[in-house]
Amino acid sequence: MSHDDQDIAQIREAVAQVCADFPGEYWRELDAERRYPADFVKALTQAGFLGALIPEEYGGSGLGLTAACAILEEIQRAGCNGGACHAQMYTMGTLLRHGSAAQKAQWLPAVASGEIRLQAFGVTEPTSGTDTLSLRTTAVRDGSSYVVNGQKIWTSRAEHSDLMVLLARTTPKDQVAKRTDGLSVFLLDMREAVGQGLTIRPIRTMMNHATTEVFFDDVRVPAENLIGEEGKGFRYILDGMNSERTLIAAECIGDGRWFVEKASAYARERAVFGRPIGQNQGVQFPIARAYAQIEAANLMVTEAARKFDQGLSIGREANMAKLLASEASWAAAEACVQTFGGYGFAEEYDVERKFRENRLYQVAPVSTNLILSYLAEHVLKMPRSY
Ligand SMILES: Cc1cc2nc3c(=O)[nH]c(=O)nc-3n(C[C@H](O)[C@H](O)[C@H](O)COP(=O)(O)OP(=O)(O)OC[C@H]3O[C@@H](n4cnc5c(N)ncnc54)[C@H](O)[C@@H]3O)c2cc1C
C-alpha cells in the first residue's frame, strides 16, 4: 500500500469512528421532525473533516479531492447523511480559487475552525431552473455596496449557514458581449442580511435536506464581498461544478455500498420457505449486479478525483462519475428495498430513509439529462441540443 493509500485508509477509519456515534436512531428522529443534524456537523467539523480542502495556512488540512471523496463516501456508507454539510467542501472552492488574499484570510480560518459555516449555494431560481444564464436575481452597484433583488429556490442549508455563495446578474443579458458574461459571485453574510431584506423560507421535501427558498429585497452586500472580477461569476461557478459532481458521486458510491451490504446481509439471514432468501438467484442477482455497477462507477470517481488533484481538467470524468454513480446507487437502493420485502418500508431499518435520500442525486446538483447533453456536445462533438 502506498503512503497516499495508507493516508486515505486512515481517513476512512477516522470518519467511520465519528459516524459510529450517529446511528440509525439519530437520523430517524431528525428525519421525522425534519431537523438539522447540528451535532453531527459539529463532530465532523471538530474532527477537521469539513476543512479537508482548506489549505493548512488557513487552518485546514490541505488535502485533495481524493481525500474529500473518501470522507463523504464513508459518511454515506455508515448510513449517515452528508447532505447536511457536503456543500462546505465545494462552495468553499469558489473562494479558494477565485477569492482575493484578503477574502481568504478573512473567511477561511473561521470556516476551517467551524466558527462560521459556508454551506449555502444560491444558484438555482424558480423561473430559470437548469438554464443558469437566464437567472433573474440582480446585483446593482450603489456606492460601496451592491443591492440585490430577486429570488433563489432550493438553497439548501441557508438556515444553518452563515455565508452564502450567491450568483447574481450584474449586467443585463442583452448588454453583454458573450452570453456567459454579466453574472457575478458574492459572498453574502446572511447573519447581517436576515431581516434586512433577506427572507428564508423552508421547503418541506421527501427527505430531510434543510432546503429553502430565499427572497432578496434590496439586500446590501459590501463591494469587497464580490469574488473575483465582476461579470465573470458564471465561469467561477462552472469551475467548481466538476469537483461538486465528483464529491456527490463519491456520496453515491457510499450509499450504494451501504445498500449492497444491508441487502446481502439481510438476504443471508432472512429465511422463508425453510431457506435463506439469498439462496434464490432472483434475490442474489439484482444485488450482485448493483455491486458490479457501483464498483465500476467507483473507478470513474477515483479517476476524476486523481486527475483533479493533478490539476488536470475533469469535465468528462466528473460528469460520467456523477451519472454512473447516481444510477448505480439507485440500482442498489432498488435491490435493497426489494430484498427487504415489506420491511424495506418500515422506518426502523433505515432502508426507506436512505432510498428517499439517494433519489435526489439523479436530479441535483445536475440532472441526468444535462450530464448526457454535456457528454454529447462537449465530448462527442454532436450539435448543442438547447
Ligand atoms: C433537495 C434539493 C436541494 C438542492 N440544493 C440546491 C442548492 O443548494 N443550491 C442550488 O443552487 N440548487 C439546488 N438544487 C437545485 C437543483 O440543482 C435543480 O433542481 C436541478 O439542477 C434541476 O433544476 P430544476 O429543478 O429547475 O429543473 P428544470 O431545469 O426545470 O428541469 C426539469 C427536468 O427537465 C429536464 N430538462 C431541462 N432542460 C432539458 C434539456 N434541455 N434537455 C433535456 N432535459 C432537460 C431536466 O433534466 C429535469 O429532469 C437543489 C434541488 C433539490 C431538489
Side-chain angles (χ1 to χ4, degrees):
M1 204 190 260
S2 72
H3 267 314
D4 284 355
D5 288 347
Q6 268 173 13
D7 289 348
I8 297 288
Q10 276 173 5
I11 289 171
R12 287 181 184 277
E13 217 172 286
V15 174
Q17 262 173 27
V18 172
C19 291
D21 291 335
F22 299 92
E25 297 95 293
Y26 173 78
W27 296 99
R28 285 199 290 278
E29 230 179 272
L30 296 176
D31 186 70
E33 296 166 18
R34 293 293 190 272
R35 224 171 353 109
Y36 187 72
D39 291 341
F40 175 69
V41 174
K42 195 169 160 200
L44 283 180
T45 309
Q46 281 173 350
F49 295 127
L50 295 187
L53 291 170
I54 299 179
E56 283 171 303
E57 59 179 307
Y58 297 114
S61 329
L63 296 168
L65 196 63
T66 301
C69 283
I71 292 168
L72 291 180
E73 184 202 316
E74 281 306 318
I75 290 173
Q76 300 304 114
R77 187 182 187 163
C80 301
N81 187 3
C85 49
H86 58 196
Q88 184 142 310
M89 291 201 180
Y90 49 79
T91 47
M92 193 262 312
T94 310
L95 173 59
L96 204 56
R97 279 188 299 274
H98 306 288
S100 66
Q103 287 170 334
K104 288 194 258 192
Q106 182 183 357
W107 302 109
L108 289 176
V111 173
S113 72
E115 196 186 314
I116 56 171
R117 292 187 191 147
L118 170 50
Q119 291 182 0
F121 191 38
V123 175
T124 309
E125 296 191 1
T127 50
S128 49
T130 303
D131 182 9
T132 307
L133 292 177
S134 299
L135 64 76
R136 291 184 185 171
T137 297
T138 54
V140 177
R141 181 77 190 238
D142 178 35
S144 60
S145 52
Y146 285 84
V147 180
V148 181
N149 280 290
Q151 185 192 346
K152 296 286 171 185
I153 195 164
W154 307 119
T155 313
S156 302
R157 302 158 298 271
E159 293 171 296
H160 305 283
S161 182
D162 302 303
L163 303 177
M164 178 197 293
V165 170
L166 169 71
L167 186 66
R169 184 160 284 288
T170 38
T171 308
K173 208 175 170 183
D174 56 8
Q175 289 172 28
V176 290
K178 273 166 86 180
R179 45 184 236 107
T180 48
D181 285 347
L183 297 176
S184 302
V185 176
F186 298 91
L187 206 52
L188 169 68
D189 192 335
M190 291 189 287
R191 295 168 299 181
E192 290 168 2
V194 168
Q196 306 284 329
L198 184 79
T199 310
I200 303 173
R201 281 201 206 130
I203 305 175
R204 198 171 160 96
T205 54
M206 73 192 247
M207 67 292 173
N208 186 18
H209 202 86
T211 199
T212 70
E213 280 181 288
V214 181
F215 300 87
F216 302 85
D217 183 11
D218 286 338
V219 174
R220 282 198 173 259
V221 185
E224 69 250 28
N225 287 24
L226 170 75
I227 295 187
E229 257 182 82
E230 186 184 296
K232 304 283 179 223
F234 184 67
R235 247 156 282 172
Y236 305 155
I237 294 290
L238 269 191
D239 217 27
M241 281 179 173
N242 288 332
S243 51
E244 177 181 11
R245 285 172 199 183
T246 310
L247 287 163
I248 297 290
E251 289 192 326
C252 290
I253 298 295
D255 274 351
R257 291 190 161 145
W258 185 90
F259 285 121
V260 164
E261 281 159 21
K262 279 271 163 192
S264 42
Y266 189 80
R268 284 192 298 271
E269 283 156 22
R270 169 78 170 163
V272 179
F273 296 111
R275 58 184 194 162
I277 55 167
Q279 203 173 330
N280 302 300
Q281 290 186 330
V283 174
Q284 293 174 348
F285 285 4
I287 305 170
R289 182 179 293 275
Y291 172 73
Q293 288 170 329
I294 287 155
E295 293 306 309
N298 186 47
L299 294 177
M300 190 56 73
V301 178
T302 308
E303 177 66 355
R306 185 189 67 80
K307 283 183 77 172
F308 185 90
D309 287 341
Q310 288 180 348
L312 301 170
S313 67
I314 60 162
R316 198 177 73 104
E317 290 79 6
N319 278 286
M320 289 195 285
K322 157 72 170 60
L323 171 77
L324 297 172
S326 63
E327 292 186 346
S329 55
W330 185 241
E334 264 289 314
C336 191
V337 168
Q338 201 66 18
T339 303
F340 271 71
Y343 297 99
F345 297 83
E347 288 181 357
E348 67 172 290
Y349 292 89
D350 295 314
V351 172
E352 62 81 36
R353 172 177 63 81
K354 292 285 277 183
F355 183 86
R356 286 184 278 118
E357 289 170 358
N358 180 260
R359 184 60 181 84
L360 175 65
Y361 298 121
Q362 289 171 80
V363 171
V366 60
S367 61
T368 301
N369 279 359
L370 270 292
I371 293 186
L372 292 170
S373 294
Y374 174 90
L375 294 173
E377 183 190 341
H378 296 282
V379 181
L380 303 176
K381 308 297 176 203
M382 286 185 264
R384 185 178 173 83
S385 62
Y386 56 91

